[in-house]
Amino acid sequence: MTSTSTESIEDFFDRYTGYLSSGDIDALADIYHYPALAVSPRGCLAVTDPQQTRDFFSQGQQFYRSRGIQGVRAKDIVTDIEGNGIWVGHLLLENLDSDGNSVGVERNAYQIVLDADGARRIAVTTPLDGV
């Protein structure tokens, strides 16, 4: 696992989408800062425990796999602002079938923070498409 502040935001999202694609639930839980915040049109959810993240992504894996989505990659990463250990921006998560063909995109915004060890962690996640 890359855990230095020299990891680019592109490398961070490559790592993140790699975990999503492989279904590495423990690594996904580890990439979040706790507490974290999930903000959606339905409201805000404080994520205070890695098990909440594991449960969410386990359900998500089943949902995406049942629809033929086998992978995801980050595209069009936009940095809105970065400084003092905080990155704020948005990107597209492109869903891929088993052949690597695009089968849809999801727009998301994130706030990423550096932890005490210099590792990037997701502090706030926001889906930008209607839910």
Side-chain angles (χ1 to χ4, degrees):
M1 174 176 154
T2 303
S3 64
T4 68
S5 60
T6 60
E7 179 182 37
S8 72
I9 201 66
E10 291 80 10
D11 289 343
F12 172 82
F13 281 111
D14 282 345
R15 187 163 55 92
Y16 177 62
T17 57
Y19 298 154
L20 286 169
S21 296
S22 68
D24 190 338
I25 303 302
D26 289 328
L28 285 166
D30 191 50
I31 209 167
Y32 279 79
H33 180 277
Y34 298 96
L37 187 62
V39 179
S40 76
R42 296 180 190 179
C44 298
L45 174 67
V47 182
T48 59
D49 183 87
Q51 190 58 48
Q52 285 175 274
T53 304
R54 286 185 198 93
D55 293 345
F56 174 81
F57 282 109
S58 291
Q59 292 171 0
Q61 285 288 310
Q62 295 170 9
F63 175 80
Y64 285 104
R65 300 290 189 243
S66 73
R67 283 157 180 74
I69 297 169
Q70 301 299 317
V72 62
R73 74 174 147 231
K75 291 180 48 173
D76 302 332
I77 299 171
V78 175
T79 298
D80 291 316
I81 193 163
E82 183 170 17
N84 298 322
I86 301 172
W87 180 91
V88 179
H90 58 278
L91 61 132
L92 297 177
L93 293 177
E94 183 177 35
N95 295 318
L96 308 169
D97 66 15
S98 60
D99 294 324
N101 298 312
S102 179
V103 292
V105 296
E106 298 174 36
R107 297 178 316 129
N108 289 286
Y110 295 92
Q111 290 185 29
I112 311 293
V113 298
L114 293 179
D115 69 12
D117 295 327
R120 291 190 188 262
R121 303 220 184 266
I122 297 171
V124 179
T125 182
T126 306
L128 297 174
D129 298 318
V131 178

